[in-house]
Amino acid sequence: MSAFIYGLGTGFSLILAIGAQNAFVLKQGLKKQHVFWVCLICALSDSILIGLGVTGFSKIIQQYPLIVDVAKYFGASFLFFYGLKNLYAAFKQTAVLNPSNIEPESLFKIIGLCLAFTWLNPHVYLDTVILVGSISVQFAQDYIQFAVGAMLASWIFFFGLGYAARFLLPLFQKAISWKILDFIIAILMWGIAVSLVI
């Protein structure tokens, strides 16, 4: 059980930092658009990567750092343009925005964005594959329990974030709140993009 608890704690400690993926989940939760699928993709992707990490895939990534480098530059480009999109939205929006009157986006578009936020983020590989994989070595006999704990942290966090976001909706009955959120997300995306390439 200690390996499971340690894995759960490790998973939460790595995922709680506000990153591009978390900001995207939060915004979809506020908009009440495809929340289940966004949470499912994020949690499932984390589980796959954690599984790869504890089964030794981290050694392959360490031997072939090109994998992380490719994700780094593609990820930085993606975050830069997504940041521009949010900045444009921050200055364009003038009406009061409620989730019910926000223009719906297609499920395929949201799935594509969600996959990009996850798989083009080199920090995902460093955190879930290399770091979690390295820590799991301490639990040679119980690495499965450790992995399950780390995976469960992702499922709890993403579904909690996606569905708890609606409790913030009263704050977002004003257009200025959406403008501020979009502006903060734009700055966050650009900050992460810059950190990836310097």
Side-chain angles (χ1 to χ4, degrees):
M1 182 59 76
S2 62
F4 172 80
I5 297 297
Y6 200 93
L8 190 68
T10 300
F12 275 124
S13 67
L14 293 174
I15 206 170
L16 284 175
I18 295 298
Q21 186 187 48
N22 296 353
F24 179 71
V25 174
L26 174 65
K27 190 169 183 183
Q28 289 306 120
L30 286 168
K31 291 161 70 174
K32 294 185 177 181
Q33 290 185 1
H34 312 300
V35 180
F36 173 79
W37 293 106
V38 167
C39 296
L40 178 66
I41 289 168
C42 290
L44 191 58
S45 296
D46 264 17
S47 295
I48 292 169
L49 290 164
I50 289 168
L52 291 172
V54 299
T55 54
F57 189 73
S58 58
K59 294 175 184 174
I60 295 175
I61 286 188
Q62 287 170 329
Q63 288 176 352
Y64 299 97
L66 181 63
I67 296 171
V68 177
D69 287 339
V70 169
K72 178 169 69 175
Y73 290 106
F74 273 106
S77 301
F78 169 74
L79 290 173
F80 175 76
F81 286 108
Y82 194 80
L84 278 180
K85 178 179 178 289
N86 279 274
L87 189 67
Y88 175 74
F91 287 101
K92 177 189 174 188
Q93 293 169 358
T94 55
V96 175
L97 296 175
N98 294 317
S100 58
N101 63 23
I102 292 175
E103 186 177 339
E105 295 180 287
S106 74
L107 176 60
F108 288 111
K109 177 183 177 182
I110 295 302
I111 287 175
L113 286 170
C114 193
L115 289 171
F117 276 118
T118 302
W119 294 90
L120 289 180
N121 179 5
H123 291 305
V124 166
Y125 299 98
L126 297 174
D127 287 348
T128 57
V129 179
I130 295 178
L131 187 55
V132 173
S134 300
I135 294 172
S136 70
V137 174
Q138 303 173 40
F139 304 95
Q141 305 301 318
D142 302 310
Y143 73 93
I144 292 178
Q145 291 93 318
F146 174 83
V148 169
M151 291 174 185
L152 182 60
S154 290
W155 288 82
I156 292 172
F157 176 80
F158 284 119
F159 276 91
L161 178 64
Y163 283 98
R166 64 189 60 200
F167 293 110
L168 296 174
L169 281 175
L171 180 66
F172 287 86
Q173 297 302 312
K174 300 177 181 178
I176 187 65
S177 299
W178 289 97
K179 288 175 177 287
I180 292 170
L181 178 66
D182 277 320
F183 183 77
I184 290 172
I185 290 176
I187 298 302
L188 176 67
M189 299 298 171
W190 287 344
I192 295 171
V194 170
S195 72
L196 293 180
V197 294
I198 60 172

